[in-house]
């Protein structure tokens, strides 16, 4: 397909601009963590759910709140769903930076990213439920009450995938023993401690009163504040790690990071491969070394 020279030059200049560099793209992903946190919070503010409605309200009281704040709740539902859009790029950037840690087995990085993909629905599904609840506010109050309970339980009860993410991220930080690690060890401690503040929501369905209810101090305020603050804090340190990455990229750890170069058993197994032959591991390592020289 023939294109005018001006169009070709435009796309060429755009591709070579500083806004399209690998560093820039990673910065966009890192900032997405802050945007995800902010949109999730503003969704609750827009829906007039800060502080939350009372779990012990009757069906008529709950339905009245949805009728009186229908448009605000619909806006809040849209913001909550939209927050999930920015969560995945943020987690992908963390996974990418984790790959830079020497001797980090790829299962750690993959587990972090898999947990992020599952945790994405903790943003999207509650927003969809809230949108459904506000879609027909004139329906039977009993149905509205049931959907309202469904929304709060789906929002606050699933913390497990986020704990897996935090532990994988903390593990990568801890084993990075270089003089200039990507992330400070204090960030690992914070990411390991914070998930335990979320576990109180496991029993959210046992109570309609007090700190354990979905409007309580443990299940809403502590969980919400620590979760949103953690996303913003991790995003800031993630941007620092991205800034330290060489412009031309850097060599990622070996395909087999658990292999010890001077392991006697490795040498013995190498001798068993026969004269004039090398093992697959040695072949991989030599390829990696030659690639590094070429770079």
């Amino acid at each position: 397909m023939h294109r005018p020279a001006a169009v070709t030059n435009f796309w060429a200049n755009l591709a070579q601009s500083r806004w399209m560099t690998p560093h820039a793209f990673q910065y966009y992903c890192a900032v997405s963590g802050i945007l995800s946190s902010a949109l999730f919070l503003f969704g609750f503010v827009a829906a007039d759910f800060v502080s939350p409605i009372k779990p012990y309200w009757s069906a008529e009281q709950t339905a009245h709140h949805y009728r009186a704040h229908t448009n605000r709740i619909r806006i809040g539902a849209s913001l909550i769903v939209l927050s999930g859009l920015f969560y995945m790029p943020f987690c992908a950037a963390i996974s990418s930076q984790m790959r830079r840690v020497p001797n980090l087995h790829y299962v750690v990085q993959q587990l972090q990213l898999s947990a992020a993909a599952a945790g994405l629905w903790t943003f999207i599904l509650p927003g969809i439920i809230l949108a459904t609840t506000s879609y027909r506010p004139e329906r039977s109050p009993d149905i509205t009450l049931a959907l309202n309970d469904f929304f709060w339980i789906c929002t606050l009860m699933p913390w497990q995938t986020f704990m897996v993410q935090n532990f994988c991220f903390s593990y990568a930080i801890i084993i990075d023993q270089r003089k200039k690690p990507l992330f400070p060890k204090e960030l690992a401690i914070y990411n390991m401690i914070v998930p335990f503040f979320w576990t109180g929501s496991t029993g959210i369905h046992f109570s309609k009163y007090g700190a354990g209810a979905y409007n309580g101090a443990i299940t809403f305020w502590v969980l919400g504040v620590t979760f949103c603050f953690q996303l913003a804090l991790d995003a800031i340190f993630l941007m620092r790690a991205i800034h330290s990455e060489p412009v031309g990229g850097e060599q990622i750890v070996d395909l087999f990071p658990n292999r010890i170069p001077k392991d006697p058993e490795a040498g013995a197994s190498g001798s068993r491969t026969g004269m004039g032959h090398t093992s697959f591991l040695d072949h991989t390592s030599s390829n990696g070394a030659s690639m590094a020289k070429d770079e």
Side-chain angles (χ1 to χ4, degrees), residues 10-159:
F10 168 78
W11 289 114
N13 293 332
L14 179 62
Q16 297 173 8
S17 68
R18 61 185 182 130
W19 306 105
M20 299 291 286
T21 63
H23 268 74
F25 189 85
Q26 290 190 84
Y27 280 128
Y28 302 150
C29 292
V31 173
S32 293
I34 300 176
L35 292 176
S36 177
S37 175
L39 287 171
F40 194 71
L41 173 62
F42 291 153
F44 283 85
V45 174
D48 198 21
F49 283 160
V50 179
S51 59
I53 62 177
K54 306 302 185 288
Y56 51 81
W57 276 2
S58 65
E60 287 73 17
Q61 288 177 297
T62 303
H64 174 74
H65 179 87
Y66 277 84
R67 295 190 193 104
H69 304 87
T70 300
N71 288 331
R72 289 189 58 175
I73 293 173
R74 288 171 177 171
I75 294 172
S78 298
L79 293 176
I80 292 172
V81 170
L82 191 61
S83 67
L85 168 66
F86 295 97
Y87 185 69
M88 275 306 296
F90 167 69
C91 296
I94 290 181
S95 178
S96 176
Q97 291 301 312
M98 286 172 62
R99 294 184 63 203
R100 297 175 59 196
V101 176
N103 296 324
L104 179 70
H105 199 282
Y106 54 78
V107 71
V108 182
Q109 174 253 337
Q110 290 296 315
L111 181 58
Q112 189 277 145
L113 195 58
S114 300
L120 173 66
W121 284 98
T122 306
F123 295 87
I124 296 178
L125 183 58
I128 294 175
I129 296 170
L130 188 62
T132 303
T133 310
S134 63
Y135 187 60
R136 300 183 192 274
E138 71 281 357
R139 66 165 65 88
S140 169
D142 289 330
I143 298 177
T144 298
L145 179 63
L147 289 173
N148 175 73
D149 291 340
F150 191 26
F151 163 73
W152 286 104
I153 291 174
C154 278
T155 302
L156 302 175
M157 198 173 185
W159 50 266

Side-chain angles (χ1 to χ4, degrees), residues 91-113 164-178 182-183 185 188 238 250-260:
C91 296
I94 290 181
S95 178
S96 176
Q97 291 301 312
M98 286 172 62
R99 294 184 63 203
R100 297 175 59 196
V101 176
N103 296 324
L104 179 70
H105 199 282
Y106 54 78
V107 71
V108 182
Q109 174 253 337
Q110 290 296 315
L111 181 58
Q112 189 277 145
L113 195 58
V164 172
Q165 281 186 262
N166 280 30
F167 283 3
C168 290
F169 186 34
S170 297
Y171 176 82
I173 296 173
I174 291 171
I175 69 167
D176 190 355
Q177 297 300 314
R178 294 173 292 180
L182 290 180
F183 302 95
K185 296 297 184 287
L238 179 60
E250 62 186 3
Q251 185 179 8
I252 303 300
V253 296
D254 291 340
L255 182 62
F256 301 94
N258 288 342
R259 177 173 176 264
I260 302 175

Side-chain angles (χ1 to χ4, degrees), residues 113-294:
L113 195 58
S114 300
L120 173 66
W121 284 98
T122 306
F123 295 87
I124 296 178
L125 183 58
I128 294 175
I129 296 170
L130 188 62
T132 303
T133 310
S134 63
Y135 187 60
R136 300 183 192 274
E138 71 281 357
R139 66 165 65 88
S140 169
D142 289 330
I143 298 177
T144 298
L145 179 63
L147 289 173
N148 175 73
D149 291 340
F150 191 26
F151 163 73
W152 286 104
I153 291 174
C154 278
T155 302
L156 302 175
M157 198 173 185
W159 50 266
Q160 296 81 3
T161 56
F162 301 112
M163 175 177 276
V164 172
Q165 281 186 262
N166 280 30
F167 283 3
C168 290
F169 186 34
S170 297
Y171 176 82
I173 296 173
I174 291 171
I175 69 167
D176 190 355
Q177 297 300 314
R178 294 173 292 180
K179 292 183 178 180
K180 292 184 177 180
L182 290 180
F183 302 95
K185 296 297 184 287
E186 292 79 8
L187 187 64
I189 296 173
Y190 180 77
N191 276 270
M192 284 191 296
I193 292 176
V194 164
F196 290 100
F197 288 103
W198 308 336
T199 57
S201 65
T202 307
I204 192 174
H205 53 299
F206 281 90
S207 176
K208 298 182 181 67
Y209 302 90
Y214 65 63
N215 68 328
I218 295 176
T219 52
F220 180 79
W221 293 105
V222 173
L223 187 154
V225 171
T226 56
F227 182 79
C228 291
F229 181 75
Q230 180 219 318
L231 282 181
L233 185 66
D234 286 349
I236 293 172
F237 282 99
L238 179 60
M239 285 186 279
R240 291 180 56 184
I242 294 169
H243 181 73
S244 70
E245 184 176 327
V247 176
E250 62 186 3
Q251 185 179 8
I252 303 300
V253 296
D254 291 340
L255 182 62
F256 301 94
N258 288 342
R259 177 173 176 264
I260 302 175
K262 295 184 180 181
D263 187 356
E265 294 184 4
S269 63
S271 64
R272 288 195 297 269
T273 57
M275 294 182 61
H277 297 279
T278 58
S279 67
F280 178 72
L281 291 178
D282 294 334
H283 181 67
T284 304
S285 299
S286 63
N287 285 345
S290 62
M291 288 175 61
K293 289 180 180 180
D294 293 339

